Amino acid sequence: MKDRELPALIIYGSLAPGESNHSVMDPIKGEWKKAIIKGKLQEGGWGSSLGYNGFIPMNSKEAEIIKAYVLFSEDLSANWDYLDEFEGDGYTRIQTEYELESGEKGIGFIYALNQ
């Protein structure tokens, strides 16, 4: 199965590999790939107290390039409720575009700050 056929979760903060809450992702098996996304990181949500600002989608003129990871996993579909609960009321799961290091682009879910 090709990556773009699998559910994709874009991660830019505490859930990313090597970061403080990565263990939350342990039950979700899949393939992690480095990527970039466009938007802004702004203070807000519980992650800011840990040093992780939240994602806000922006029009292309105002957007900045943000380093991120994309997790491709069949397990995501069964775990959205678990992840939504972990992220809490301060964040909303939306779709946005990513670009992998290979140049391949796709759409994945990301937790953005509630505004």
Side-chain angles (χ1 to χ4, degrees):
M1 193 181 282
K2 290 193 168 169
D3 290 342
R4 63 184 164 274
E5 295 170 3
L6 289 172
L9 176 62
I10 302 162
I11 294 185
Y12 58 89
S14 74
L15 295 176
E19 300 297 336
S20 61
N21 286 321
H22 184 65
S23 62
V24 169
M25 301 305 294
D26 287 348
I28 305 170
K29 303 299 176 220
E31 185 176 5
W32 292 88
K33 293 193 175 183
K34 288 183 178 177
I36 57 168
I37 55 174
K38 291 185 178 168
K40 269 205 170 109
L41 293 179
Q42 178 175 301
E43 198 170 317
W46 61 262
S48 287
S49 64
L50 301 174
Y52 301 100
N53 289 335
F55 175 78
I56 297 176
M58 290 274 151
N59 66 46
S60 55
K61 281 189 217 163
E62 298 175 40
E64 299 167 0
I65 291 176
I66 300 164
K67 290 182 179 181
Y69 287 88
V70 180
L71 172 63
F72 297 98
S73 172
E74 291 180 347
D75 293 350
L76 283 168
S77 299
N79 283 282
W80 289 128
D81 290 345
Y82 163 74
L83 292 167
D84 290 349
E85 191 173 316
F86 173 80
E87 292 291 351
D89 295 338
Y91 300 88
T92 304
R93 181 165 34 101
I94 64 168
Q95 290 187 304
T96 196
E97 188 177 61
Y98 62 80
E99 183 176 337
L100 299 178
E101 285 184 315
S102 65
E104 184 182 343
K105 293 181 179 182
I107 302 283
F109 285 101
I110 190 169
Y111 285 94
L113 278 179
N114 271 338
Q115 302 197 67

